[in-house]
Amino acid sequence: MMAEEAEKPGRQEASAETPGRMPGPELPDSQLELLRLAVQHAPLILSVYDKEFRFRLLMGGALGERGMKENQLVGLDAREVLKDNPELLASLEKAKQGHTHRWLGERTGVYLEAYVSPIFDGKGEFNGLVSMALNVTDRVKAQAEVLRLNAELEAKIKERTGELEEAIHELEAFSYSVSHDLRAPLRHIGGFLELLLKKSAASLDDQGRRYLGIISDSAKRMDSLITDLLSFSRVNRQERLSLRFSMAELTAQVIHDLDPDLQGREVEWTVGELPDAVGDLSMIRQVMANLLANAVKFTLGRQPARIEIGALAEDEGKNTYFVRDNGAGFEMKYYEKLFGIFQRLHGAAEFEGTGIGLANVRRIVHRHGGTVWAEGAVGRGATFSFTLPAPPVPKPAP
Amino acid sequence: MINALKSVLLVEDNELDVELTLEAFKGNNLANSVQVVRDGEEALEYLYREGRFQGRPEGNPILVLLDLKMPKVNGLDVLRKVKADPDLKSIPIVMLTTSKEEQDLVESYKLGVNAYVVKPVHFPDFVTAISQLGTFWALVNNPPPGSVRQ
């Protein structure tokens, strides 16, 4: 393509450094003929001017498309011929100062790019100009299209970002309002129930007291749902730290914290070697706490309950950790629901819960660039796995 | 009653919360020392002895319990104004709020709040929290000079 030809930097720089000179030794006729043929077939317009800016030569394969004939302007003054193109004329004047000059302009819908260089005679005196013009319409149009598409894309990104920011802002306002406005009526239900029990319990029969108990339990449950909903929305809003931490230490702490829930239970813990990970310690603690609390919860009734925590070998900068139990398990056909918010695969009578834990686990792991998945079968336990970035391998000392 | 001198100022727009708070104060016999106002504007009128509190006797309450979210002038606005006033800034102010929103907590402490309490949803906890507050600020703590202790 001719545009590409013109883009070759060497040509322009070379002529800028060492302005073209008239060839010294005469060329043999055969080579002169070759040169003429080459110029006639090259997709360009080659013009040579004398030092008075009169056309001395006009050749090139692109003359036809401009409606011109070979050498049709020879002898005419370029200042006269090009008077409606002052920019190109200015390029000729500048090139006369000793350097190649580039001109890009549009004539009747066609974009032309011209390189004008001075010619010096054997004594180094200015002796005229040579200009090579190329049709670069396709290139200019493609560049304009690229610019237009970029601008369009940028405008779209700006628009979407704005929408997203607004949505986040609305979500924050929403959770703020949830935490305030839904809590107050709940507090009133609980408070006045308590007062009713204190002051009028004697005048209530058993059924009446049972109803009050149900109202009270429902209010408490709604409070825990609101608390969980807020913790879920906070996972997204919270700033995430990225530091190396010991998964082994974190796991030991979480197991220790679960002690009060294990009263009267027989649980066999197996903790394998757990490599360090990189991430937000408090968020990952939430992940581990959720998975281990689930394992404890769903192994209720197992004698003994077995819970194993381990890790697989590092792969592509990621560590894989897993928590395996011999508990109630789950049906793989409901897998899609497992990590959904407020989704539960077990009835409240069977196992308590709000259905927020695994939704939080997934959000946190995703925010760390990891993945989380599970395998299980009803009555045969479950295995939950997640990946986290592994710490960078330290460079060996030189 | 309006012009009687009370040692605790409760700023709370919700009727039911007022009732529950007063109920909780009965436990340490503070219920009768509580002056209730319904929003931040009234709270400022009370503290500055303006409007319908023009004629109240001089002296500052030994404790202000301030709800965060109120119509017109909210709790943070009242807090800002009081803590910026040399005559009022020594009055202990306890923020009472429904939930622990970090931005409110941070802002309150920046403005110089003396305590920040999230009203527990569970009523027995609520009673405990309120009566402990009353006991500490109204009975244990020595209020700044110029305060009114009944």
Side-chain angles (χ1 to χ4, degrees), chain A residues 175-177 179-181 183-184 186-188 190-192 194-195 198-199 219-220 223 230 234 237, chain B residues 12 14 16-17 19-20 23 26 68-69 97-101 103-104 119-124 126:
Chain A
S175 48
Y176 186 89
S177 137
S179 77
H180 273 88
D181 300 346
R183 275 255 167 80
L186 264 183
R187 200 174 55 245
H188 300 149
F192 285 95
E194 226 37 70
L195 291 181
K198 200 166 102 186
K199 297 186 176 173
K220 275 179 211 155
D223 182 48
L230 285 175
R234 218 167 273 140
R237 291 185 284 145
Chain B
E12 172 64 75
N14 189 305
L16 300 178
D17 274 324
E19 200 176 330
L20 291 177
E23 193 64 38
K26 279 184 185 165
L68 191 85
K69 228 179 146 196
T97 168
T98 295
S99 85
K100 192 180 104 184
E101 274 295 321
Q103 71 218 53
D104 292 336
K119 300 174 201 168
V121 170
H122 189 48
F123 188 64
F126 178 81

Side-chain angles (χ1 to χ4, degrees), chain A residues 261-325:
Chain A
D261 299 343
L262 298 179
Q263 281 161 354
R265 298 259 325 257
E266 196 185 328
V267 178
E268 275 179 18
W269 296 96
T270 312
V271 184
E273 202 167 302
L274 299 172
D276 289 1
V278 175
D280 187 300
L281 180 62
S282 74
M283 286 192 192
I284 302 302
R285 180 178 288 122
Q286 216 179 315
V287 168
M288 200 47 108
N290 265 309
L291 294 180
L292 295 190
N294 271 354
V296 166
K297 180 161 74 179
F298 291 107
T299 50
L300 187 67
R302 291 284 188 276
Q303 288 294 345
R306 287 198 186 91
I307 301 171
E308 183 190 352
I309 304 112
L312 305 178
E314 181 194 328
D315 184 35
E316 287 178 2
K318 299 238 156 142
N319 288 333
T320 302
Y321 304 91
F322 66 84
V323 175
R324 181 176 296 141
D325 67 57

Side-chain angles (χ1 to χ4, degrees), chain A residues 17 38 69 120 122 138-139 162 166 170 188 194 212 233-234 243 288 300 305 319 329 332 334 338 354-355 383 394 396:
Chain A
E17 300 272 310
K69 290 198 182 73
F120 300 93
D138 289 349
R139 193 188 82 197
E166 200 178 319
E170 269 174 24
H188 300 149
E194 226 37 70
L212 288 186
S233 86
R234 218 167 273 140
L243 294 170
M288 200 47 108
L300 187 67
N319 288 333
M332 282 305 270
Y334 295 125
L338 203 57
T354 56
T383 304

Side-chain angles (χ1 to χ4, degrees), chain A residues 83-139:
Chain A
K83 69 176 175 223
D84 61 340
N85 191 350
E87 285 171 30
L88 179 54
L89 263 183
S91 289
L92 298 184
E93 297 286 0
K94 281 175 189 157
K96 190 181 166 181
Q97 309 303 316
H99 293 291
T100 296
H101 228 271
R102 175 177 172 270
W103 167 80
L104 177 70
E106 184 250 318
R107 320 300 303 164
T108 60
V110 174
Y111 283 90
L112 294 172
E113 185 176 50
Y115 291 92
V116 188
S117 309
I119 300 170
F120 300 93
D121 63 15
K123 284 174 254 162
E125 298 286 322
F126 174 70
N127 197 29
L129 297 160
V130 56
S131 116
M132 183 193 68
L134 299 162
N135 180 344
V136 292
T137 308
D138 289 349
R139 193 188 82 197

Side-chain angles (χ1 to χ4, degrees), chain B residues 9 11 37 39-51 53 56 66 73-74 77-82 88:
Chain B
L9 180 65
V11 191
V37 292
D39 59 48
E41 196 177 271
E42 271 193 23
L44 292 172
E45 278 178 6
Y46 181 87
L47 293 169
Y48 284 102
R49 299 168 69 219
E50 289 167 354
F53 296 105
R56 82 161 171 88
L66 189 55
V73 182
N74 71 28
D77 296 332
V78 174
L79 179 65
R80 189 174 297 118
K81 193 119 194 240
V82 169
L88 300 179

